[in-house]
Amino acid sequence: MLPLALEGIGFSAGGRDILSGIDLVLEAGPRTMILGPNGAGKSVLMRVCHGLLAPTSGRVLWSHPERPGEPRRQAMVFQRPVLLRRSVLGNLTFALAVAGAPHDEREGRALTALDRVGLLPFAHRPARVLSGGEQQRLALARAWMLEPEVLFLDEPTANLDPGATREIESIVQSIHASGTKIVMITHNLGQAQRLGDEVLFVDRGRIAERTPVDRFFRNPATAEADAFLKGELPWH
Amino acid sequence: MSTFGAAFGEAFGLIGAFDPELLDIVWLSLRVSLSAVLISTVIALPCGAALAVTRFPGRDALVVIVNALLGLPAVVVGLTIYLLLSRAGPLGAFGILFTPAAMVVAQAVLIFPLIAALARQAVADAWREYAEQMHSLGAGPVASSLALLHDLRFSLVTIVLAAFGRAIAEVGAVMIVGGNIDGVTRVMTTAIALETSKGDLPLALGLGVVLLGIVLLLNVGAHLLKERAQRHHA
């Protein structure tokens, strides 16, 4: 379904323009890191891409548009994982049922998915008693299991300690290696360097620049990105 | 005061002796109200959840109406069902007026808004947390509603209990559509009203004590269930 093209995307809420004039093409392959200050519109941009928010103007074009009722070929992992009050395994089989997977395949696929993120021993525990890091690994397992072409991640490690963050990063690498396009918002610049191929720098509702990761951190093209990296806030 | 004490003494005597008349009345009350709760719950929970997770024109008006119906007087429900079920009424052909079936229908209608409105509120509150994840997974309104009802099952028990409490304690609706016929449609509340007016306070009081006891027992059970579930699921 890639590439994804955004044409003239604008998004307003409560009389405020959160996104304006966004033109963007996301191709399969490179891992895209979305960086930018708080309130720049990163999360809204990702939700527009994923179809959770309808843009106020412009068009979101997938090369193969999604049809209602068909399983989605894209997935998203949120900052705070939303898990159902049922077992770890039950959370995965629910997602498979929604995706229309045949009944007799669900448990096997779910167990494989748990094994890949190291949660197999927890299969029959209630999902909501897992630690924060384990819950996020479960959310990743759920997304990965659905074999999406694109995986959107909105600050998946923002609430996690360094150990859990490393585990999440390694899973994201594996998902990328299995052929899924990674699009990720992060405030952790080290993480962006470790996981990213290119940086999409969002500033005040616009895409200020798009640069390969190593160049962005060495020599950003815009003054805003330069200031962001130096920790300055010239827009205040 | 002495009549009060004596009546209480006789009331506990009747309960202790498993007085057959009293047992019949209690058993009918339970059957009618449990059936009404079962029927109403099966319909009202999905309706409440659907009102919370879907958007359609007129939804807000419907929510206001359902909430307003929380204040529905039992006698008005009784009267409406009476008119529908009476010989000349549109549902008269069923011939269930003055039978326990009519009482079940009346109580089910009476508690429907209670279950639907409170379930809608509970699901709507949770939906704020779940909506994006459900949309992301591609879950439609039916799958989302069922998943939320399942996740909220322990809160919903309290709602269903409140509905049972309202059903078994109401007198107006069952009096009108049941007719309070001895041995056929006489339930605890209608019997209490009748026995009180006849002056048979011991039977009336005994029934009152049993009524309270049943409601108390159910609530203790629900409380324990909820405690256990919350420990299990954190």
Side-chain angles (χ1 to χ4, degrees):
Chain A
M1 63 194 293
L2 287 168
L4 163 66
L6 303 189
E7 287 181 359
I9 292 293
F11 186 89
S12 317
R16 212 166 65 88
D17 286 340
I18 295 169
L19 297 176
S20 52
I22 302 250
D23 292 300
L24 172 70
V25 176
L26 291 172
E27 306 91 356
R31 294 160 296 181
T32 305
M33 297 293 121
I34 302 180
L35 302 184
N38 287 327
K42 304 183 295 295
S43 287
V44 171
L45 174 62
M46 182 168 278
R47 280 162 173 75
V48 168
C49 289
H50 190 44
L52 297 180
L53 290 175
T56 318
S57 59
R59 297 193 298 169
V60 179
L61 300 166
W62 296 92
S63 67
H64 294 287
E66 291 186 296
R67 290 202 184 80
E70 279 183 11
R72 301 200 74 183
R73 304 285 294 126
Q74 50 174 314
M76 181 158 169
V77 169
F78 299 86
Q79 185 173 336
R80 281 188 36 187
V82 179
L83 301 173
L84 301 175
R85 283 190 190 84
R86 50 179 92 187
S87 71
V88 166
L89 188 65
N91 268 275
L92 298 189
T93 50
F94 172 80
L96 286 170
V98 166
H103 198 275
D104 52 352
E105 282 180 15
R106 290 179 202 158
E107 186 161 332
R109 278 178 69 181
L111 290 171
T112 309
L114 287 178
D115 195 25
R116 288 194 296 204
V117 301
L119 288 178
L120 199 51
F122 300 102
H124 298 287
R125 295 245 190 110
R128 295 241 179 166
V129 302
L130 299 182
S131 72
E134 288 159 353
Q135 291 200 15
Q136 197 58 291
R137 268 150 67 197
L138 177 55
L140 276 167
R142 178 169 60 187
W144 193 4
M145 172 185 70
L146 302 170
E147 295 165 2
E149 265 188 60
V150 196
L151 175 60
F152 295 101
L153 301 119
D154 187 357
E155 295 194 58
T157 62
N159 301 329
L160 303 182
D161 65 36
T165 299
R166 266 196 307 280
E167 287 168 347
I168 298 297
E169 287 184 8
S170 121
I171 294 169
V172 171
Q173 294 287 31
S174 304
I175 297 175
H176 168 66
S178 72
T180 295
K181 161 86 176 178
I182 301 293
V183 182
M184 176 162 159
I185 297 173
T186 180
H187 278 292
N188 179 334
L189 298 183
Q191 183 171 66
Q193 282 174 293
R194 285 190 295 276
L195 291 183
D197 294 310
E198 62 169 358
V199 168
L200 210 58
F201 182 70
V202 179
D203 185 39
R204 281 167 287 180
R206 294 174 177 278
I207 293 172
E209 73 168 275
R210 183 180 194 176
T211 320
V213 160
D214 45 352
R215 181 134 45 93
F216 181 84
F217 285 99
R218 245 184 315 110
N219 186 19
T222 55
E224 287 87 353
D226 194 39
F228 173 74
L229 288 175
K230 289 186 173 132
E232 295 174 19
L233 300 166
W235 45 83
H236 278 190
Chain B
M1 240 8 232
S2 63
T3 19
F4 193 75
F8 249 113
E10 279 190 57
F12 280 105
L14 284 174
I15 298 170
F18 295 105
D19 179 69
E21 191 190 353
L22 187 138
L23 281 185
D24 278 351
I25 294 173
V26 170
W27 175 231
L28 180 65
S29 291
L30 282 175
R31 259 166 51 213
V32 167
S33 295
L34 286 173
S35 308
V37 166
L38 188 72
I39 293 167
S40 210
T41 299
V42 167
I43 306 170
L45 285 185
C47 288
L51 274 179
V53 307
T54 55
R55 294 269 175 281
F56 56 87
R59 187 193 72 119
D60 289 350
L62 210 53
V63 169
V64 170
I65 290 170
V66 171
N67 286 340
L69 288 177
L70 282 173
L72 198 60
V75 282
V76 174
V77 174
L79 178 60
T80 311
I81 301 295
Y82 177 88
L83 291 172
L84 289 173
L85 293 179
S86 62
R87 279 269 170 255
L91 304 176
F94 289 106
I96 61 168
L97 193 61
F98 304 129
T99 69
M103 297 153 77
V104 170
V105 172
Q107 290 194 347
V109 170
L110 178 72
I111 60 180
F112 179 90
L114 180 72
I115 302 176
L118 296 183
R120 188 209 65 84
Q121 190 60 54
V123 172
D125 292 342
W127 186 235
R128 274 191 273 283
E129 182 195 345
Y130 288 63
E132 285 198 322
Q133 182 67 62
M134 288 296 173
H135 286 144
S136 174
L137 289 172
V142 174
S144 298
S145 296
L146 293 178
L148 264 96
L149 288 175
H150 181 263
D151 264 31
L152 297 171
R153 55 198 179 275
F154 302 112
S155 316
L156 298 177
V157 167
T158 312
I159 293 173
V160 171
L161 267 183
F164 176 78
R166 174 143 206 227
I168 200 156
E170 73 83 25
V171 53
V174 281
M175 183 75 93
I176 294 175
V177 303
N180 195 22
I181 303 165
D182 191 10
V184 182
T185 58
R186 183 161 299 167
V187 291
M188 287 192 275
T189 52
T190 55
I192 291 170
L194 180 70
E195 300 305 333
T196 306
S197 64
K198 283 191 343 199
D200 187 353
L201 296 187
L203 184 54
L205 260 178
L207 287 165
V209 170
V210 172
L211 187 58
L212 267 175
I214 288 170
V215 173
L216 187 68
L217 266 179
L218 270 165
N219 279 283
V220 168
H223 181 75
L224 293 177
L225 181 77
K226 208 170 166 177
E227 286 284 295
R228 213 189 60 129
Q230 274 169 351
R231 269 199 306 278
H232 183 63
H233 283 278

